[in-house]
Amino acid sequence: MSNATAVKAGSAGALEATSCDLGTGLCITGFGLLVTKLYTARIKVPPEVQDLIPEEATHSIGETAMAAGSLATGDAEVLMGAARLAFSQGHGVVLLMAAGAVAMPSASLFFILKDSPAHQVNPLQPTK
């Protein structure tokens, strides 16, 4: 952005905004797919409702909720309890991965730049 001429500044800004939006969209999609995959792997349908729901009901929390809507109240609560637990576990894993994705480059930059002259106090400059 700082190297763009005044004539090209609008194009450079638009390209930067588009790149940011694309990256955000791809990350949301990737993390959403990962949460869904983890949910499907982690849900443990209680045996008392196993035969009352279709196989597809465990593919996402939305499908599980739709299947729970057709069950008796007690069975629906048991199924949704298992669904909430599986979703929370999957979501927690993805949040830890996202935190690691932010923490690793941050820590790397801290150690790379900690001795940089730009971050040291100039003893000749008067303090305020």
Side-chain angles (χ1 to χ4, degrees):
M1 285 291 294
S2 61
N3 291 334
T5 63
V7 175
K8 300 279 185 177
S11 297
L15 184 60
E16 179 188 28
T18 302
S19 299
C20 182
D21 291 343
L22 178 64
T24 300
L26 289 174
C27 285
I28 290 170
T29 302
F31 283 140
L33 288 170
L34 188 55
V35 167
T36 302
K37 185 69 175 165
L38 289 169
Y39 172 80
T40 302
R42 290 176 181 263
I43 188 164
K44 304 288 185 252
V45 178
E48 60 266 23
V49 295
Q50 181 76 43
D51 296 330
L52 303 175
I53 61 169
E55 176 67 30
E56 307 84 47
T58 60
H59 293 173
S60 73
I61 194 164
E63 291 178 15
T64 305
M66 286 176 47
S70 66
L71 298 175
T73 305
D75 291 337
E77 288 176 4
V78 169
L79 179 60
M80 287 309 296
R84 281 190 291 274
L85 179 63
F87 185 82
S88 295
Q89 290 173 343
H91 194 258
V93 169
V94 170
L95 288 177
L96 286 173
M97 290 175 63
V102 170
M104 288 180 5
S106 298
S108 298
L109 285 174
F110 173 77
F111 288 110
I112 290 169
L113 297 176
K114 73 177 183 177
D115 295 324
S116 172
H119 292 91
Q120 295 176 353
V121 176
N122 184 352
L124 302 177
Q125 183 178 4
T127 57
K128 296 182 183 180

